[in-house]
Amino acid sequence: MGQQYSTTELSRNWSEISAAAQRRPVTLTRHRKAQFVLLNVEDYQALLERAGTRRAHLTRETPDDLAREIEAAIADYADDSER
């Protein structure tokens, strides 16, 4: 996940850290352990929308459109790991 900052840094560098969180999620740590994630509203809303649509399917019962999405994601993952 993107950049990491301590909670102490957050209070000192809010403008820098919030700008970074506009681009991608930022992990906030306390005592060197991840405690929070700061992300922009659009990413948060997308997570909420996706969470409401989660379903479990048997492989043989997976809808075709979902199967294509899964296959594309696997192919993207394989392409990234080859780099």
Side-chain angles (χ1 to χ4, degrees), residues 2-83:
Q3 296 175 296
Q4 288 191 351
Y5 298 92
S6 71
T7 52
T8 302
E9 289 174 299
L10 179 65
S11 63
R12 293 182 185 151
N13 299 316
W14 167 251
S15 60
E16 174 190 336
I17 296 170
S18 63
Q22 283 297 325
R23 293 184 297 277
R24 64 174 32 128
V26 169
T27 302
L28 302 175
T29 62
R30 177 178 275 161
H31 305 294
R32 298 186 180 132
K33 293 183 181 179
Q35 295 290 310
F36 307 98
V37 175
L38 181 64
L39 65 156
N40 65 46
V41 171
E42 292 83 12
D43 289 345
Y44 176 69
Q45 289 172 336
L47 284 173
L48 289 178
E49 288 172 13
R50 288 176 60 197
T53 61
R54 293 186 349 178
R55 303 278 188 271
H57 300 278
L58 295 174
T59 304
R60 66 180 177 271
E61 296 173 354
T62 302
D64 291 339
D65 59 330
L66 180 57
R68 284 189 297 273
E69 280 186 54
I70 293 168
E71 289 169 353
I74 291 169
D76 288 345
Y77 180 78
D79 289 344
D80 286 345
S81 65
E82 289 176 0
R83 293 180 192 165

